[in-house]
Amino acid sequence: MFSGKSIMPIKSAMKSGALACAAIAMAASAAANAGVVIKSSGPSASQYPVGKKIDDSGRITLKAGDSVTIMANGGTREIRGAGTHRVAERGVSKRSTFAALTKQRSNSRVRTGAARTGTGPLSSVRSNLWYVDVTESGPVCVADFSAVRMWRPERELEATYVVANSNSAEHLHVTFAEKTMIADWDAARMPLSENSPYTISGPGNVEPVTITFAALDAVPDNPEDLATALIEKGCTSQLELLATKMM
């Protein structure tokens, strides 16, 4: 049989373990509820730099002329003007929007569905965060280097773009069929390399654009953490798209 003296240390250890678990749970909850600044301007911009984490249940104090855009509570909110403002507001859930925007699509699985031949209005905004805009320079974050897809903002005519790697003599021709806004990057012919500059030249006298790819080791499952990852990699175009779609 155990004596009272031998039982006391066990109870103490159990209590300590419970407190530790509670502390971990609280920390995880706090991390999950952390909003992130994605755009900031005005007199208080230095207090709220891009990438700053803010408790989405808290408040911020701004001055006249301030504008702070925050990703918090699963959505984007732009806060303007002097006064004390709540960081997040309850609204319609954006979970389905986020899921569609960040869905990773295999080239082989989606190739036949890529050609949108409908006669609906033309959208100049990408429907998926991982599509590479052939008209815009800058870093591009990639979730899967083996299934990169190119996107153009128009679809009326067939068009071919030439991709060149500055570190190689190889060229890749990416052809968009008529009425199609999406085309595959042939990774077998031109494998992607992180941080290598790629020049994309389009038809006509349009100025070529230069892009670099940055790999995301894991894609966060919430807008706040994904915004932070995009900021850290310098993928501002995708950050703006995320902010717009989650508005």
Side-chain angles (χ1 to χ4, degrees):
M1 296 180 64
F2 293 105
S3 66
K5 291 182 179 180
S6 64
I7 293 175
M8 289 301 293
I10 297 176
K11 288 184 176 179
S12 177
M14 292 175 63
K15 183 176 181 180
S16 298
L19 290 173
C21 289
I24 293 172
M26 290 177 65
S29 177
N33 293 327
V36 58
V37 176
I38 57 178
K39 188 182 296 184
S40 181
S41 63
S44 303
S46 61
Q47 298 179 39
Y48 303 104
V50 173
K52 181 180 177 66
K53 296 292 183 67
I54 301 177
D55 185 350
D56 66 7
S57 63
R59 299 172 183 271
I60 61 172
T61 300
L62 302 181
K63 300 176 182 178
D66 279 334
S67 175
V68 179
T69 303
I70 299 175
M71 182 73 70
N73 197 30
T76 305
R77 186 186 180 203
E78 184 180 16
I79 305 174
R80 291 177 174 271
T84 300
H85 310 266
R86 293 181 61 87
V87 170
E89 289 185 338
R90 292 187 177 276
V92 178
S93 174
K94 297 282 188 177
R95 290 183 180 179
S96 59
T97 300
F98 181 74
L101 183 65
T102 58
K103 185 175 182 180
Q104 298 177 44
R105 297 172 166 89
S106 165
N107 282 349
S108 59
R109 187 175 67 250
V110 193
R111 181 175 290 119
T112 56
R116 303 240 174 158
T117 57
T119 57
L122 178 67
S123 173
S124 60
V125 179
R126 286 165 289 169
S127 61
N128 189 279
L129 197 70
W130 313 122
Y131 291 163
V132 179
D133 188 345
V134 297
T135 66
E136 194 165 71
S137 294
V140 178
C141 286
V142 179
D144 183 358
F145 269 31
S146 67
V148 171
R149 317 197 79 217
M150 315 297 282
W151 178 89
R152 62 172 178 166
E154 67 281 331
R155 64 180 177 187
E156 292 307 313
L157 303 176
E158 177 180 305
T160 297
Y161 289 76
V162 179
V163 183
N165 185 341
S166 300
N167 299 325
S168 170
E170 296 294 327
H171 290 74
L172 177 68
H173 289 79
V174 179
T175 299
F176 293 85
E178 182 181 352
K179 305 296 183 181
T180 303
M181 301 176 75
I182 303 167
D184 296 340
W185 178 298
D186 190 345
R189 293 190 60 186
M190 181 176 282
L192 277 71
S193 299
E194 189 169 13
N195 298 322
S196 292
Y198 294 86
T199 301
I200 303 176
S201 303
N205 297 319
V206 179
E207 188 74 18
V209 302
T210 300
I211 62 174
T212 56
F213 291 104
L216 292 180
D217 296 331
V219 178
D221 61 1
N222 63 82
E224 294 82 3
D225 288 346
L226 180 54
T228 298
L230 296 175
I231 291 170
E232 291 174 349
K233 297 288 188 178
C235 300
T236 55
S237 175
Q238 288 160 296
L239 179 65
E240 291 176 3
L241 177 61
L242 176 64
T244 300
K245 289 289 189 177
M246 300 304 293
M247 186 72 73

